[in-house]
Amino acid sequence: MTAGSRAGETEEVSKADQVHRQLRTEIELGELAPGTPLSELSLVARTGASRTPVREALRRLAAEGLVDLVPRQGARVSRVSARSVRDLFEFRSLLEPAAVRQATEAATADPALHRTFAELREAIAGVLERDPSTARSRSFYELADRFDWTVIRATRNEHLRRTIAELRPHTARLRNLSHLDPRRVEVSVGEHLAVCDALLAGDAEGAATALAGHLARSLETIFRNLAHGPGEGVDLLG
């Protein structure tokens, strides 16, 4: 293999990474809704990449469960079913309270980590001081994401840490269904503050209970929103 061919392969891999990141972010944010067709030609035009890295990016997204590759029809953003939502939240309710218990123990033993959580708590509380808007919601999502990743990194169990991290893209895109009602953002802020307060107080069981409550209420909100108007790529009967 020549240096030129190696450089070409590296460039293709880099382009595939870029397309993968871009599409995954757009799916997580709901900019690419469930059921949206993803034709190779449109993605080539939109991303500026050639067909090879686009195909590789779609294969990765399919492996992550975010895209369906349909024979003779092409790719589309995977649909959301009532069962998949229920299954995801049931799994999260088993994993995430255990993770926040471990994060609480870690923060109690590590002053620097405790300060990080305290700073996040202050930033999350500051969301309520802003007028409701798309920008405020986006700011909260970013803070909630930072909080969640801080919990994940503070989890001592490697398998627990990796499994929760792998669920994050699916968790992120369901957030859009949970927060269709702008009032839900304010409620969610309060629920995050309850988790933070218990964690900062060293109350591992209290943090786990608060997080379990947050997950249960998020699931209820998603189904209530879907009942009032499910999107095109949402299957309430599935």
Side-chain angles (χ1 to χ4, degrees):
M1 181 183 293
T2 66
S5 63
R6 282 197 298 270
E9 286 189 7
T10 301
E11 184 177 346
E12 289 289 306
V13 171
S14 176
K15 278 287 189 183
D17 289 340
Q18 292 173 21
V19 176
H20 173 262
R21 281 195 301 270
Q22 178 180 338
L23 294 179
R24 181 163 139 164
T25 298
E26 291 174 358
I27 291 171
E28 290 179 2
L29 293 175
E31 294 169 3
L32 288 174
T36 300
L38 300 170
S39 77
E40 286 185 12
L41 289 177
S42 67
L43 293 177
V44 166
R46 191 152 67 84
T47 64
S50 66
R51 296 183 77 158
T52 298
V54 164
R55 286 173 181 163
E56 174 59 26
L58 290 174
R59 279 195 291 268
R60 291 188 206 174
L61 292 166
E64 294 168 350
L66 296 174
V67 163
D68 294 327
L69 300 178
V70 185
R72 295 183 295 280
Q73 293 183 36
R76 69 184 181 200
V77 178
S78 61
R79 295 176 178 273
V80 173
S81 70
R83 179 170 182 173
S84 70
V85 173
R86 247 187 237 104
D87 287 350
L88 177 61
F89 272 83
E90 183 178 294
F91 197 30
R92 290 180 66 193
S93 70
L94 295 174
L95 301 176
E96 294 183 24
V100 84
R101 285 190 192 95
Q102 294 185 15
T104 301
E105 294 166 1
T108 301
D110 182 347
L113 180 60
H114 192 277
R115 281 194 301 275
T116 297
F117 277 117
E119 290 167 0
L120 282 169
R121 195 257 181 229
E122 183 177 353
I124 291 170
V127 170
L128 295 177
E129 299 173 4
R130 299 170 59 180
D131 293 331
S133 66
T134 301
R136 185 185 78 156
S137 297
R138 181 66 64 86
S139 176
F140 170 61
Y141 299 158
E142 291 173 355
L143 288 168
D145 201 51
R146 283 172 53 196
F147 175 80
D148 291 344
W149 278 109
T150 304
V151 169
I152 291 168
R153 286 190 289 269
T155 301
R156 66 174 179 273
N157 186 300
E158 176 187 349
H159 299 289
L160 181 59
R161 189 168 60 241
R162 184 172 62 246
T163 302
I164 295 174
E166 289 171 353
L167 295 176
R168 293 299 300 164
H170 302 278
T171 299
R173 73 178 187 146
L174 288 182
R175 179 173 54 203
N176 299 299
L177 296 174
S178 176
H179 292 161
L180 287 174
D181 181 351
R183 291 170 297 182
R184 175 60 194 162
V185 172
E186 297 185 4
V187 174
S188 189
V189 168
E191 292 167 357
H192 277 77
L193 291 177
V195 177
C196 286
D197 288 341
L199 185 153
L200 291 169
D203 181 2
E205 200 55 46
T209 299
L211 181 54
H214 166 65
L215 293 174
R217 285 184 287 275
S218 294
L219 181 60
E220 290 171 3
T221 302
I222 287 172
F223 277 101
R224 185 166 59 250
N225 289 337
L226 291 179
H228 284 116
E232 200 171 301
V234 178
D235 179 10
L236 285 180
L237 300 178

